[in-house]
Amino acid sequence: MSNYATDVFAPIFEAIQSISGARPYTDKVGEEDSDGIDMAYRVVADHIRTLSFAIADGAQPGNEGRNYVLRRILRRAVRYGQDKLKAPEGFLASLVDVVVTKMGSIFPELVSARNTIHGSISVEEKNFGRTLKKGLDRFTKLADAAQEQKSSRIDGAAAFQLWDVFGFPPDLTQLMAEERHLQVDMEGFNQNMEQQRSRSRAAASSNAAAGLKFEAAATSHLQKTGVPRTNDKPKFARDDVETELLAIFTSDGFVDEAVEAQASSTMGLILRDTSYYSEMGGQVGDSGSIRNDDATGNFTVADTKAAAGYVLHIGTLDGSLKVGDKVHAAIDHERRDKIMSNHTSTHVLNHALRELLGEHINQSGSAVDEDRLRFDFTHPKKLEPQEVFSIESACQKGLRARLPVFSEEVPQEAARQINGVRWLQDEKYPDPVRVVSIGVPVQQLLSDPENTSYRQYSIEFCGGTHLENTARAVGFVLVSEESSATGIRRVTALTGDKALLALREGQELSSRFAAAKSLKAAELDKEITLLKQTLDQVTLSADTKHRLRGEMAKLVQQLLDEQKKAASASKEQASQAALDAVQEAAAAGRKFAVVQINVGLAPKACQDAWAEVQKQHSDVAVLFISPDAVKKKALVWAAVPDSLLKAFPSQDWAKAALTELGGKGGGKGSVAQGQGTQIEKVPQAIEAATKLAQMKLA
């Protein structure tokens, strides 16, 4: 007996058999497992357990590291299930519940993560399923061709196509090849892989060359022609700027005038002064418009970048502009306000992280735009849900404190002496450096730099743009926490209208979860599906999403409990129906009974009913037919006592009913079973089974 013939795997095997309609698991290995069915059972059962635990632990099927290992495991399971067991698409995700039910009492994280596990497997399985059949057909043709040509290998280019087009990992292709006594040309596969990478690098280089390359050659030209560096001090104010156009930069170099013929091309403008913030320090560049005084040219700015002290306003031109034009530069203030809200909130977040998690917290990167803020920081482990909640609450409290935001350029040596000031250790800052302080004027910090009370405020070196007061941020919602790299955690948050929307949707969804608790099983099942879809799609506070996932686990458990009660009642009803039918048959002198019961596609319920019959009538054969209207299948389960087997094989009896139902099955000894899809023909199946029994057991 193998390690798989245990109570741990038995429920999973039963679920696989119920879903796929394959013959029951018989624990055969090697040559004894001639059809490979038992091997497929073991692969699917083992892999669904591995996937469930790994995803519950935070992993996801993906393209790198352990995530890629999971993707390969999942695809191997899907291939075995669909190719060997003839399981329907989506079968793997439907096995999650049996793992959760079996192991959830010992590993509660499986219950709380049930929907994440199911959703991840479902999406990945669906994506792979789109190409699986075509890939299997393609492999079959390749293997057939190789064997017809008396070759022992599958070409490397063909194996690469299976990976590139159909998503077959090379180890899966190798496994399938081994089953056909073939090898895969992995050297050729790797050569094709490298050729594709080279093509990708070349394409990326080509795309980059097509854009503006504002690099050393361009800035050197500006310096040599006497163009002064851009005065960008106005970027910290909120006023538009009246200034002069000093240079026009195109993909062909600098020009003195841009006219209609160039209007559709991306170009860049250099101004004497600008209120635009150029991309740096994690904050995106500003957008807006620039027009000349005589209104002959209007330039739409999509992005702003800087190099060697020059600010390049990148965008497209409507009309014409020429060097020397007097222009009006206006930023998109609505977009800038959203960016500033997210940047100021990033400083509040940085301070909260140090206060709540410890002095080891150091910024490792950030990204701030109009939609959200992202912050990377040093921390050795995943944040606990309570820590995420505490951080979000601290940030909300800090923003509600209505603290003024101060900023000032300070000699770097003096700035570094301020107690509690933060800066990126590897960053090269200008001297003087800009200090941004939330709650305390910079001059007050400089007058008493060693004051320990400053550590309760956010004080940082920063060249970005900020709100005048934290109250203007309106709201703060921390929407995710994840790993960015080894020892680095990443959090993402929203402020303003997006934060308020996330909070409102969280409240509405919480109300739906509360209402779902009073639903009956059928309605609850449907509502759980809808709630899961909404929970996966909507942007919510990470704390709210975690709490609702816990509520989802409770709803799922509630549904499972109700279904268990219903199943238990169905099993009792099935046993009683079987006993009644057998007693009636025995009284009439018949040696068989054909019984329609309602236990779904659960062969275990049939087996239990048969066991009850055996206690009182051990010499009567019984065939159960159980239609499942939801899954649109019908189960046929036949049992023939040893005394009747020679004249009446159970397999023949089951086949008679399954033929009418458009299905197939199998079995050994006294028990045979299978499933059919034409459930509307259950009466015909009962009639066929009855006629055969009457003929054989007359």
Side-chain angles (χ1 to χ4, degrees):
M1 185 176 71
S2 75
N3 293 334
Y4 289 89
T6 63
D7 291 343
V8 173
F9 286 96
I12 304 177
F13 289 154
E14 288 181 9
I16 294 170
Q17 198 278 327
S18 176
I19 293 168
S20 67
R23 67 162 173 79
Y25 178 72
T26 57
D27 201 38
K28 293 179 180 177
V29 296
E31 294 182 357
E32 291 185 1
D33 184 24
S34 58
D35 55 5
I37 297 297
D38 283 356
M39 175 65 172
Y41 268 105
R42 289 189 288 270
V43 168
V44 173
D46 179 79
H47 288 9
I48 189 61
R49 290 174 74 248
T50 299
L51 289 163
S52 296
F53 278 99
I55 294 172
D57 193 42
Q60 289 288 331
N63 290 327
E64 298 180 353
R66 68 170 182 171
N67 295 344
Y68 182 55
V69 174
L70 284 190
R71 173 166 286 173
R72 288 162 64 182
I73 288 173
L74 185 145
R75 291 184 173 183
R76 185 169 185 257
V78 171
R79 180 253 161 173
Y80 266 100
Q82 292 193 20
D83 188 32
K84 291 288 186 182
L85 300 175
K86 307 304 179 187
E89 291 184 10
F91 81 94
L92 194 63
S94 66
L95 294 173
V96 170
D97 285 339
V98 70
V99 176
V100 173
T101 301
K102 177 66 180 176
M103 312 296 291
S105 60
I106 305 172
F107 302 97
E109 62 269 25
L110 287 175
V111 178
S112 60
R114 181 267 175 197
N115 292 306
T116 300
I117 299 167
H118 185 278
S120 297
I121 294 176
S122 181
V123 170
E124 188 73 16
E125 185 177 9
K126 182 178 179 181
N127 291 339
F128 184 46
R130 291 171 184 161
T131 58
L132 176 61
K133 186 178 186 305
K134 292 180 180 179
L136 290 172
D137 290 344
R138 175 62 177 156
F139 173 82
T140 299
K141 291 178 181 178
L142 291 171
D144 288 346
Q147 291 177 331
E148 286 174 6
Q149 298 168 9
K150 301 194 182 302
S151 172
S152 62
R153 296 209 308 174
I154 290 178
D155 180 65
F160 177 76
Q161 184 192 47
L162 284 171
W163 176 84
D164 189 36
V165 178
F166 301 106
F168 279 40
D171 56 338
L172 177 57
T173 302
Q174 286 179 297
L175 180 67
M176 293 164 61
E178 288 174 6
E179 293 173 357
R180 295 286 297 267
H181 306 291
L182 296 169
Q183 294 180 328
V184 177
D185 174 18
M186 289 306 298
E187 183 177 348
F189 175 93
N190 292 330
Q191 289 175 354
N192 278 268
M193 174 71 80
E194 185 55 39
Q195 288 171 7
Q196 187 200 54
R197 288 171 177 163
S198 298
R199 288 193 295 269
S200 297
R201 287 191 292 266
S205 298
S206 175
N207 290 336
L212 295 176
K213 300 180 69 173
F214 192 56
E215 299 172 345
T219 56
S220 177
H221 171 84
L222 292 171
Q223 292 170 1
K224 290 177 181 178
T225 54
V227 176
R229 290 181 171 84
T230 308
N231 170 32
D232 66 349
K233 297 294 183 184
K235 69 186 178 185
F236 295 114
R238 300 181 60 83
D239 300 325
D240 296 344
V241 172
E242 304 293 336
T243 186
E244 180 184 356
L245 176 57
L246 300 183
I248 302 173
F249 185 55
T250 73
S251 57
D252 295 324
F254 288 95
V255 297
D256 292 330
E257 184 175 5
V259 295
E260 291 292 339
Q262 299 166 312
S264 62
S265 302
T266 299
M267 59 184 68
L269 306 183
I270 303 291
L271 308 180
R272 183 178 299 278
D273 313 282
T274 187
S275 55
Y276 281 74
Y277 181 87
S278 55
E279 180 182 348
M280 68 178 71
Q283 179 177 328
V284 296
D286 278 330
S287 58
S289 64
I290 300 171
R291 58 174 173 78
N292 56 10
D293 284 354
D294 59 9
T296 59
N298 188 66
F299 188 80
T300 301
V301 181
D303 197 7
T304 313
K305 297 187 181 297
Y310 295 100
V311 175
L312 186 71
H313 307 75
I314 304 167
T316 55
L317 174 64
D318 180 16
S320 62
L321 289 172
K322 61 181 182 295
V323 172
D325 277 353
K326 301 299 182 182
V327 296
H328 177 87
I331 65 170
D332 181 340
H333 288 286
E334 183 178 353
R335 179 172 179 265
R336 163 75 81 86
D337 286 347
K338 293 177 181 178
I339 295 170
M340 291 194 302
S341 177
N342 284 332
H343 201 157
T344 300
S345 297
T346 301
H347 283 219
V348 173
L349 170 63
N350 189 10
H351 181 261
L353 288 168
R354 182 175 66 174
E355 289 293 295
L356 294 169
L357 300 182
E359 291 294 327
H360 66 282
I361 298 295
N362 284 303
Q363 181 177 344
S364 183
S366 66
V368 176
D369 60 26
E370 67 273 30
D371 292 323
R372 63 189 60 226
L373 65 92
R374 192 195 74 211
F375 190 77
D376 296 354
F377 58 96
T378 54
H379 193 59
K381 59 182 180 179
K382 177 180 175 66
L383 298 185
E384 296 296 330
Q386 183 57 44
E387 290 175 321
V388 174
F389 172 74
S390 298
I391 292 164
E392 181 181 70
S393 299
C395 291
Q396 291 170 343
K397 181 180 178 181
L399 294 171
R400 287 197 304 268
R402 308 180 69 85
L403 296 175
V405 180
F406 303 95
S407 61
E408 191 173 329
E409 288 191 348
V410 176
Q412 195 173 129
E413 183 59 32
R416 289 178 181 268
Q417 304 308 311
I418 298 172
N419 194 348
V421 68
R422 309 296 300 272
W423 67 84
L424 288 170
Q425 299 298 324
D426 297 331
E427 185 78 8
K428 187 175 182 180
Y429 292 95
D431 196 0
V433 66
R434 191 172 187 82
V435 175
V436 175
S437 171
I438 300 179
V440 185
V442 176
Q443 286 301 318
Q444 180 179 331
L445 298 175
L446 294 173
S447 66
D448 185 16
E450 297 182 2
N451 192 324
T452 57
S453 67
Y454 295 160
R455 299 189 72 82
Q456 64 184 298
Y457 299 99
S458 167
I459 309 167
E460 296 188 33
F461 291 179
C462 179
T465 59
H466 288 271
L467 301 174
E468 294 86 359
N469 192 290
T470 59
R472 286 189 57 207
V474 181
F476 181 95
V477 172
L478 202 158
V479 295
S480 69
E481 187 274 339
E482 59 190 343
S483 172
S484 173
T486 302
I488 305 295
R489 305 304 299 179
R490 169 174 292 174
V491 292
T492 302
L494 307 175
T495 66
D497 291 342
K498 289 184 179 292
L500 296 179
L501 176 61
L503 290 171
R504 185 166 62 252
E505 290 185 329
Q507 292 169 352
E508 292 174 356
L509 196 55
S510 295
S511 297
R512 284 181 59 188
F513 269 86
K517 296 177 182 178
S518 61
L519 296 177
K520 298 298 182 182
E523 292 81 6
L524 179 59
D525 196 4
K526 294 178 182 177
E527 183 65 1
I528 284 175
T529 299
L530 294 175
L531 287 173
K532 178 190 177 302
Q533 292 174 348
T534 304
L535 190 58
D536 288 343
Q537 295 170 2
V538 72
T539 299
L540 301 174
S541 159
D543 174 66
T544 299
K545 185 159 282 194
H546 172 76
R547 177 175 56 79
L548 291 181
R549 291 198 189 284
E551 291 298 313
M552 178 63 78
K554 293 178 182 178
L555 288 178
V556 170
Q557 189 60 55
Q558 177 182 327
L559 177 61
L560 290 174
D561 290 344
E562 291 187 20
Q563 289 175 336
K564 284 180 181 178
K565 290 179 182 178
S568 177
S570 295
K571 286 170 64 175
E572 291 178 6
Q573 292 171 3
S575 296
Q576 189 58 52
L579 283 171
D580 291 345
V582 169
Q583 286 170 355
E584 181 182 341
R590 294 195 307 272
K591 297 181 180 179
F592 72 92
V594 178
V595 189
Q596 179 175 336
I597 57 177
N598 295 298
V599 294
L601 304 178
K604 182 67 165 56
C606 298
Q607 184 176 345
D608 292 344
W610 164 248
E612 291 300 316
V613 168
Q614 286 278 289
K615 292 177 182 177
Q616 299 183 33
H617 301 279
S618 60
D619 58 343
V620 177
V622 178
L623 183 140
F624 296 113
I625 298 182
S626 175
D628 189 320
V630 176
K631 296 181 180 178
K632 297 180 180 180
K633 291 183 179 181
L635 170 69
V636 173
W637 197 93
V640 178
D642 293 342
S643 60
L644 302 178
L645 265 180
K646 187 174 181 181
F648 192 39
S650 60
Q651 294 87 343
D652 293 350
W653 202 15
K655 183 179 179 181
L658 287 166
T659 300
E660 295 295 332
L661 296 170
K664 58 182 180 179
K668 63 178 182 177
S670 61
V671 176
Q673 60 183 301
Q675 294 178 15
T677 57
Q678 298 177 28
I679 61 172
E680 71 279 2
K681 293 186 177 181
V682 166
Q684 292 91 322
I686 292 174
E687 183 179 356
T690 301
K691 285 183 178 179
L692 181 64
Q694 288 173 337
M695 182 177 67
K696 294 287 187 179
L697 299 176

